[in-house]
Every structure is written in C-alpha cells, then in structure tokens.
Amino acid sequence: MRSNAIKQGPTRSPARAMLRATGLDDAAIARPFVAVVHTWSDVSPCNINLRDLAQHVRRGIDAAGGTPIEFNTIAVTDGIAMGSDGMRASLPSRETIADSIELAVGGHCLDAMVLLVGCDKTIPAAAMAAARLDIPTVILYGGTILPGHCPTTDGEAPKPLTVQDVFEAVGAHAAGRIDDAGLHAIESHACPGAGACGGQFTANTMAMVLTFLGLSPLGANDIPATDPAKADAGYACGELAMALLRDGGPTPRTLLTTRALRNAARAVSATAGSTNAVLHLLAIAHEAGVAFDLEEFEAASASTPVIADLKPGGRYTAAEMHAQGGTALVARELQAAGLIEDIPTVAGRSFFAQADAAQTPPAQDVVRPVSDPIKPRGGYSILYGDLAPEGCIVKLAGHGIERFEGRARVFDSEEAAFAAVQARAIVAGDVVVIRFEGPAGGPGMREMLAVTAALVGQGLSNDVALVTDGRFSGATHGFMVGHVAPEAARGGPIAKLRDGDRVRIDVASRRIDVAADLSQRTPARMAPRVRCGALAKFARDVGSASRGAVTSPGPLDAHDDDARRIASSLLDAATDAAIPA
C-alpha cells in the first residue's frame, strides 16, 4: 500500500500517534487509506449536498475494508459569480482544485480516492487530478438540480425553469417585456433545491463526459442531487474504489486514452453540450499525456448529429432525461451507429456492457436515433482565420445560422458590452466583440452569459453575433464565437479590431475573417487588471485556450512546444492572408 510510507514501521510512530488522535485504532491504521474528496460549499446549490453524500461514500469504503480519509477543497460557482469580477476566479479555480487534490492525496500517500464534484470547474479538475495521481479513482457527480416551476395565471401548466431562464429574464426586463414582479417570480422559482444547473450546461455536460471517459459508472452521475438513490450511488462508489484497489483495476491514465476522449467529444456533440467541454477535455488530455487537439472536436461535431433534446436549445432538463433513461440512451444510440468505441471503465465492465445492461423505459422522446436526428451535425464547430489563427469555437445549437457578416462593435470588457446591451445600443446586424477577457487578459476567461442572455431576452439572439476571447456558459445559445486564440492580451489579431470593421463568420468554410489589413495596425493594449495574488499568478502561467488554458507542465511538453511553433506560423500566414479592406 502507498500509505505504508506514512504508517508502517518504528520510524512512523509519530505519524501513527497523530492518526490515533483523529480516532483511528490499530485496525483502521492497518487498512488501506482511501481519500474521500468533495467540493462541499453552502454558497450555492451545486455542491451543498456533497458533505452528506460523502458520508455514504465513507460507509461503502468502510464496509469494503478500507479507512476513509475525508477532506474538501474549494468551489467557485459560476451562476453566482457570472457578470462580476468574481467570475475571473472560476477557471483559475479549476487549477487550484486539481492542485489541492494532488497535493493532499499525494502528500499523505493515500491508496485510492473517491472524488465528489458538483459544479462546472470541480468536475474537470477532479479528472485532471486523477490523471496526475494515477491511483485507483472513482468520480461521482453530486447530481443535477430539479427543474423549477413558476406559477401561471392563465391556467396553463407551469413550464420547467432553469437558471438560464433567470439570466434571460434579466434581458427581457431591460427590454420592458416583463415587469419587476415577473422577474422576481422567475427568480424565486427557478432553483428549487440542491443540485447543479439543470440543462445540458457545463456541469451536466462534464458529468456525462466523466461517464464516457470511464471515470464514473454509467448512470451514477445521472441521478439528481435530491433523489434518495444518490445515497446508494455514493455507497456503491465507495465499495468500487476498494474493489479497484484490491483487484488492480484500471487507473485513470489507463482509462484516459484517445478512444475515450473521442467518445466523450462525440457525446458532447450528440447532446449539444457546453463548448466549455472542449477547453476541459484538452486540459484532461494534457494531464494524462495524450495528444488531443482542437481538430478532434471538429471531427467529432462534423460526424455526430445532435440527438438529445436538451436545454438550452431543446425542451428537456437533465433530470427529465434521467427519468426517461439517462446517459444510457445516448450511449446506445452512438454505439448502434458506430460513432463510439468500447472502452474499459472503473465499473469493472466495458462501457458497451454497461450500456447494454442499463434499464431504460420502453418509450421516451428525449433522445432520438442517429438516423433521425434533431440536427444533422453537432452543436459546435472549430473555426480559424484572420481573427483566430490558433482557432476558436462557434456554438451552433439552438439556431440554424451558419453564416453571419456585420459591423464590429468592439468592447474591452464584459461590463462595457453588457452596459451597451442594456442601453439598447446593440442592433440587428452587429457583431459584438468582447476582448481582453481571455485566460491571461481577463484574467480567468470569464463566461459571457450575462451579455448573451440579455441579447436573447431582447429578442436579438438570431440577429446579432458575439465574438470573444473569453468563454460562454453552457446555458448560452445564439450565434456565439468564443475561445478566440491567440487572445488579445497575448497580441492576438482580435486586439487589432476596430469599431465598424466588417467581420465575416462562415461555418461552412470554417473561417472567421475581417475586411481590414490587420498587418498595418498596432494591437490595442491594456494594463494588467490584477498585479498580485492568485489571479496574477494564473495570468502569468496560463497557456492558450486552444490547448486547454492549463498552467501545469504536462507529459507532452515537447508536443506543446510543437503546437506553439505551428500556432506561430499560422498567425503569420493569417496576417499575410487578411482579406482586403
């Protein structure tokens, strides 16, 4: 056992003395030490159930002959931080969470771990830490929130609500389409209890990703946070971690293969999931030492249609999909179409074996066959061009637009853009450009949900495009281009854009270009927003969004160096090929 390094032999007597002070006896000290790591916090519903869920995991570990060692780490909740300076902390928190799990588990030489996660950054962080440590690991998502329901006065049945509806109600309120009472009613009923945001937003997308990577048992992450069955899932995961340790089951780096990553990318495409999954899967691949780049996501999206009718573009929440059969429905359809490959999993059975054994209702209407999709291709595409020589992501779900051209309205912060939207200064045909919000420039690569939701609330979602070196929430829909790289703060071409420039976005040709000779312009500059502390350190160390916005060295540093050289050559070529003014 790894833990023997801290507990075995006469020289470890001081360590054992301290362990005894925590309540462990000789028998408990002799057993394997299994970490139970959770991101519990009472600041939001996303993680508020994890401390209780941890107790069920502990029982499972204990029953299987292990000694649970529990600790928690941080969480920054995007839905609360969104639109504020606090949102700068969200993406950096992914690195801090991964670092803290690595340091605490590695520092105590623990033998295995169960990681309990809730909201957006906690989920990829857990997978990143698992890849670094490479010990027997099971990851369990705390679960989705149930949909809220706002009472109606017209006799119609209340419609399901998520936090997405609240953000969009802000835009509707600014446009005068609803009054103060209407906004308050939506706010008061959208989030009924524990659980992460209810559509196929980032949390539920990444929870599904964990399943398709084989790091979570199929079906366990689907169970809503308040469902009594979640406790049983926690207990089973505790037992499963011990089985992996006892039987020499697959460790994370064994599971995190190119095949598994491709499966996950196709699941994101099939469910029109959050574009943040691209950023996070690149980071997970980086930590696992697997070569995986942006073009993998283009291939996944081009070959995998949207088959799940999920919010934000569709009808159903994650809890409603669970009631109709859950992730197994998606897995079976992709398997039947030959779009995913079988892989090993932490459950001890292959992914296909789990999908075949899953119990699902005989009839459902949330997931359609690949032969009869909701949309013929996935919910995003990877573009390159004058403004994004390293690449960017265009979100396609929820609209049928594949080409947009308009005049640039350039803003150097999210706040400035939001103020313009709220003032009704953005009109149909505009391309709203928000720059200096990338990983380094933000710092922290904030999500632009406040802006995009306000545009939707004003009825402009199909008439305005938005381009940013920041990110989008999984709840975003409309014609949105994010993750523009290189970012403005690192001298990317987006820093040379000016108000009134004609920007052309063409999904068919996979281009984002501007009718201006950018080579003749000096890029705009902005003083660092943060000069000390964790955010300044993140800004100094973070890499390009096109490679996951990671801060730690990975096993493929030579690959990263090659990628940087390629990106540099692409930047030079794109500058030379700028379309005429």
Side-chain angles (χ1 to χ4, degrees):
M1 290 185 291
R2 283 165 46 97
S3 59
N4 285 344
I6 64 166
K7 67 186 185 183
Q8 193 173 67
T11 62
R12 304 312 304 163
S13 185
R16 291 193 299 272
M18 297 187 74
L19 290 169
R20 292 180 195 283
T22 70
L24 301 186
D25 58 18
D26 284 342
I29 292 172
R31 300 164 84 182
F33 283 0
V34 180
V36 180
V37 187
H38 53 78
T39 56
W40 174 85
S41 165
D42 65 1
V43 76
S44 75
C46 314
N47 300 281
I48 200 168
N49 63 318
L50 297 184
R51 189 166 60 177
D52 291 337
L53 186 58
Q55 307 318 304
H56 300 289
V57 175
R58 290 177 65 100
R59 289 193 302 108
I61 293 168
D62 186 69
T67 296
I69 306 292
E70 180 183 350
F71 62 92
N72 80 301
T73 180
I74 66 164
V76 174
T77 303
D78 291 11
I80 292 175
M82 196 76 67
S84 75
D85 258 3
M87 190 63 192
R88 302 189 196 284
S90 175
L91 185 59
S93 78
R94 184 190 71 179
E95 307 300 297
T96 300
I97 296 162
D99 290 350
S100 64
I101 295 171
E102 175 195 358
L103 293 172
V105 174
H108 294 98
C109 303
L110 304 183
D111 299 298
M113 57 186 180
V114 179
L115 306 178
L116 303 178
V117 291
C119 60
D120 297 8
K121 306 310 170 295
T122 69
I123 304 171
M128 292 163 68
R132 292 180 192 176
L133 290 161
D134 200 33
I135 61 176
T137 301
V138 181
I139 308 179
L140 177 62
Y141 174 50
T144 184
I145 197 171
L146 296 176
H149 293 88
C150 192
T152 62
T153 58
D154 55 11
E156 294 186 5
K159 295 180 180 179
L161 294 176
T162 70
V163 73
Q164 169 195 348
D165 296 286
V166 188
F167 277 99
E168 292 176 7
V170 172
H173 180 266
R177 294 165 62 186
I178 61 173
D179 59 14
D180 290 349
L183 178 60
H184 184 266
I186 294 171
E187 168 193 331
S188 300
H189 292 90
C191 300
C197 299
Q200 192 69 343
F201 311 150
T202 304
N204 285 317
T205 298
M206 291 308 299
M208 183 177 285
V209 160
L210 291 180
T211 301
F212 274 81
L213 290 174
L215 295 173
S216 300
L218 179 65
N221 290 348
D222 295 347
I223 303 168
T226 55
D227 190 319
K230 203 73 189 189
D232 295 334
Y235 185 93
C237 285
E239 290 185 309
L240 182 54
M242 283 299 299
L244 289 169
L245 180 61
R246 180 183 63 246
D247 301 335
T251 56
R253 286 202 184 184
T254 304
L255 298 172
L256 292 171
T257 62
T258 302
R259 286 192 304 166
L261 290 159
R262 285 176 177 159
N263 285 356
R266 289 182 174 181
V268 174
S269 178
T271 58
S274 170
T275 53
N276 283 317
V278 174
L279 194 74
H280 299 322
L281 277 166
L282 289 171
I284 293 167
H286 170 84
E287 301 292 356
V290 179
F292 205 74
D293 60 27
L294 276 177
E295 283 302 290
E296 293 279 2
F297 297 95
E298 176 62 28
S301 186
S303 63
T304 312
V306 176
I307 59 173
D309 195 1
L310 294 170
K311 288 178 177 288
R315 294 179 294 166
Y316 292 110
T317 63
E320 291 168 314
M321 187 171 89
H322 167 65
Q324 295 197 47
T327 296
L329 299 171
V330 179
R332 285 177 178 173
E333 293 300 332
L334 295 181
Q335 177 186 349
L339 290 172
I340 57 173
E341 299 181 70
D342 204 7
I343 57 170
T345 73
V346 292
R349 294 181 294 170
S350 76
F351 188 70
F352 285 179
Q354 288 186 84
D356 292 342
Q359 299 295 312
T360 56
Q364 56 83 29
D365 68 346
V366 68
V367 176
R368 290 161 62 167
V370 169
S371 59
D372 181 30
I374 295 167
K375 290 190 65 180
R377 65 160 292 150
Y380 56 84
S381 184
I382 308 300
L383 309 183
Y384 302 88
D386 297 348
L387 292 182
E390 283 186 12
C392 61
I393 303 172
V394 59
K395 192 158 189 173
L396 304 175
H399 60 83
I401 304 170
E402 292 205 351
R403 192 178 190 282
F404 195 101
E405 183 171 346
R407 64 167 187 156
R409 298 294 308 281
V410 182
F411 302 93
D412 288 344
S413 70
E414 179 188 7
E415 287 83 0
F418 184 69
V421 173
Q422 290 294 84
R424 311 301 301 277
I426 303 301
V427 299
D430 284 347
V431 178
V432 178
V433 178
I434 308 177
R435 62 190 183 187
F436 293 102
E437 290 287 5
M445 205 180 182
R446 291 190 292 179
E447 292 179 351
M448 304 292 118
L449 180 57
V451 176
T452 60
L455 290 169
V456 171
Q458 292 182 18
L460 290 171
S461 60
N462 291 328
D463 300 316
V464 170
L466 192 148
V467 176
T468 180
D469 52 10
R471 295 182 294 127
F472 297 126
S473 164
T476 295
H477 58 116
F479 199 70
M480 310 296 172
V481 181
H483 304 208
V484 169
E487 62 175 293
R490 296 275 170 87
I494 193 173
K496 298 180 179 181
L497 207 59
R498 296 175 183 168
D499 267 348
D501 285 343
R502 299 293 296 180
V503 174
R504 182 186 306 152
I505 306 163
D506 191 332
V507 176
S509 64
R510 298 180 57 201
R511 298 284 304 182
I512 178 167
D513 295 307
V514 57
D517 185 358
L518 299 183
S519 67
Q520 301 301 309
R521 294 182 182 175
T522 301
R525 304 288 184 189
M526 177 172 283
R529 291 187 171 106
V530 179
R531 295 185 178 275
C532 60
L535 292 180
K537 181 168 63 175
F538 179 83
R540 180 196 67 196
D541 295 340
V542 69
S544 172
S546 65
R547 293 185 295 279
V550 295
T551 59
S552 64
L556 290 182
D557 282 339
H559 170 76
D560 289 346
D561 289 340
D562 289 341
R564 279 190 285 272
R565 285 193 291 272
I566 292 169
S568 178
S569 65
L570 285 171
L571 177 58
D572 293 341
T575 300
D576 292 341
I579 61 178

